[in-house]
Amino acid sequence: MAVQEARQGADGGEPWGAHEGGCTCGDCPHGARAGHRRAVAEFLLMRDGFAAGQGLPAAVAHSASASRQWVSEELTQSAEAVAERGRAEGAAWLARLWRRTVYAVWASVVVLLLVQALTAIGAGWTAARTAGLVAALVVAGSLTAASWFHRARGGVLAPVIGEDNRLSTSRAVAVAWTLFVAYAVLVLAGRLAAASDGRERDALLSGLELARGAGVVTVLAVVCGIAVLVRRVVGLRVLGQRLQKVRADRPRAADLLTDDSGRGTFADIQYVVIGAVALLFAGVRLARRPDQLPDLPWGLAVVVLVSAATYVAGKYAEGGRPVILSVVRSREAGDLDGPIRTGDDIEIRGAGFVPPGAQRADRLSRMVVRIGPVNVHVPLVPVAGGFSNPADEVLTVPVPADVEPGRVEVQVVTAAGAETNRYAIDVTD
């Protein structure tokens, strides 16, 4: 009752987030980006104000538990508004991205034309250069058409965006090798179509034999297989609650080198770097010998395979199920020691309570602790620059009056939906 009265008194009867001065919704001239930035600024101002002890109504200021609940609910509502604006901005960003991907594709064709024109000075224009340019035009045209059909999902980037709305490292590497091999085959097809001499045609056909391109074919098969395998592995681990995944607002280029929380990971970085170096070497070999598939040396091919194996091993090793290690009565300075009673705060210690990428307030507010048959939402406790509760290793929640005295089980449900083990505690009168 005190919390509800305090909210009405603080708002003047109006819900928080009412438009003031000008609307910045996604369908307004200000755009989704401006609306999201404004919502973030208002949330940060509210969080830092509460952390400094400002803005608490007098109706709840006398009670630590009531003020904590009121602050948590106010921050939760504000965080939900920020999340809604963030999703709108992400959708608008994806809708605009397809044009940028098309520009990037055709810019690559222009760069190829300039490189061929510069290298043709003195050496002359050859049929291989023409075949390479025509193959680039065919690939660029195909990517443009695909980008149009997937314009709502990021255009050319649609195949490499995972189910969690992040760029997938395994898919990006597989797509890069697939496009390169397709381009190499189109170059040979162009040269074969323009060849008039029978011996030249036979030489071009022999350039497609497996003995010439065994290394490239092996690498292509492995990276494509890994892209399918990793998707299956991640899906099964999420369903088995051995890996926690939360959806991102929009994909970012950094997703190729980082985990869901934005920290760089060795497995992803080495896979992208070694794959890019091997791809660059294969491109140079194709430029030097455009009459056959790039003969990737087996030494370099084995390096790529070792990198791929490391990447898969990293996917198996990451994550883990959240776990409760202990539950104790939370004690403030001056409190007497004693058993856990209804109304007391308990401190749940463990690991994996906050999944990677779930550090935002709207995700933290979704965490629930089951104490017997009662579901308790974990309160948000703001501090300067963030939150002290919940944390990845410690949660603090009150034991509600609805919990019957006796032996009850405690279980944490994270923002990703994963459940911890059950931990038994004794609640006294």
Side-chain angles (χ1 to χ4, degrees):
M1 290 292 294
V3 172
Q4 295 176 357
E5 292 174 0
R7 179 178 295 114
Q8 292 176 0
D11 304 12
E14 294 294 333
W16 182 86
H19 297 175
E20 298 178 359
C23 178
T24 55
C25 297
D27 55 353
C28 292
H30 295 281
R33 179 180 300 179
H36 182 232
R37 290 179 177 177
R38 177 183 175 183
V40 170
E42 293 176 351
F43 171 78
L44 294 179
L45 182 63
M46 175 182 291
R47 184 199 65 188
D48 294 341
F50 287 150
Q54 303 172 357
L56 287 177
V60 298
H62 65 281
S63 172
S65 60
S67 60
R68 182 177 61 184
Q69 179 185 356
W70 187 87
V71 167
S72 178
E73 293 185 3
E74 290 296 309
L75 289 174
T76 298
Q77 292 184 8
S78 177
E80 290 174 354
V82 173
E84 182 179 356
R85 296 290 179 89
R87 288 189 292 268
E89 182 190 5
W93 183 85
L94 276 180
R96 297 191 305 266
L97 182 62
W98 77 273
R99 289 189 176 88
R100 300 177 185 177
T101 57
V102 170
Y103 296 154
V105 167
W106 287 102
S108 302
V109 175
V110 173
V111 170
L112 176 63
L113 175 60
L114 293 176
V115 171
Q116 288 189 345
L118 292 175
T119 56
I121 298 176
W125 192 270
T126 61
R129 300 180 192 276
T130 303
L133 184 58
V134 172
L137 292 174
V138 172
V139 173
S142 301
L143 292 177
T144 301
S147 181
W148 167 258
F149 287 110
H150 296 86
R151 58 188 180 275
R153 288 288 301 158
V156 175
L157 296 182
V160 299
I161 298 177
E163 288 73 16
D164 58 353
N165 207 30
R166 294 180 177 89
L167 292 181
S168 169
T169 302
S170 59
R171 296 185 193 181
V173 173
V175 167
W177 279 99
T178 300
L179 290 176
F180 173 75
V181 173
Y183 174 76
V185 173
L186 287 175
V187 170
L188 293 176
R191 293 207 59 191
L192 184 62
S196 57
D197 187 12
R199 289 178 297 180
E200 183 180 1
R201 289 195 295 268
D202 292 340
L204 290 172
L205 289 175
S206 64
L208 289 171
E209 294 180 356
L210 184 60
R212 300 289 183 89
V216 170
V217 173
T218 301
V219 170
L220 176 64
V222 170
V223 297
C224 290
I226 286 178
V228 177
L229 175 63
V230 166
R231 180 181 181 183
R232 180 64 175 172
V233 167
V234 171
L236 290 178
R237 298 194 71 207
V238 169
L239 293 177
Q241 297 193 19
R242 296 186 300 274
L243 179 65
Q244 301 187 71
K245 278 281 188 181
V246 294
R247 184 177 176 84
D249 287 336
R250 66 178 178 88
R252 292 175 171 83
D255 295 339
L256 299 177
L257 305 175
T258 62
D259 59 11
D260 292 352
S261 61
R263 294 173 298 200
T265 56
F266 170 75
D268 292 46
I269 293 174
Q270 61 87 28
Y271 189 44
V272 171
V273 170
I274 293 179
V277 171
L279 195 62
L280 178 61
F281 181 88
V284 173
R285 294 292 293 178
L286 178 62
R288 291 295 184 181
R289 297 292 301 273
D291 56 344
Q292 64 180 41
L293 286 176
D295 52 342
L296 196 67
W298 276 111
L300 183 56
V302 170
V303 170
V304 177
L305 298 184
V306 171
S307 174
T310 303
Y311 175 76
V312 174
K315 287 299 178 183
Y316 272 102
E318 72 178 0
R321 187 167 184 170
V323 59
I324 296 177
L325 300 178
S326 61
V327 178
V328 298
R329 178 176 177 268
S330 181
R331 177 181 178 275
E332 297 182 357
D335 285 350
L336 298 177
D337 295 329
I340 298 176
R341 296 182 174 89
T342 55
D344 290 343
D345 289 342
I346 58 174
E347 189 177 277
I348 305 172
R349 302 171 183 176
F353 295 148
V354 180
Q359 291 81 9
R360 298 184 333 195
D362 63 299
R363 303 286 171 77
L364 296 177
S365 64
R366 298 174 59 186
M367 299 183 63
V368 175
V369 175
R370 296 194 184 112
I371 305 178
V374 183
N375 291 329
V376 182
H377 283 80
V378 180
L380 299 177
V381 179
V383 294
F387 298 92
S388 61
N389 187 66
D392 187 62
E393 299 176 350
V394 178
L395 302 178
T396 301
V397 294
V399 179
D402 294 333
V403 175
E404 296 291 337
R407 195 165 186 83
V408 296
E409 292 183 334
V410 177
Q411 187 179 33
V412 176
V413 182
T414 69
E419 299 178 341
T420 65
N421 56 305
R422 298 179 184 272
Y423 192 94
I425 63 173
D426 293 317
V427 179
T428 63
D429 293 329

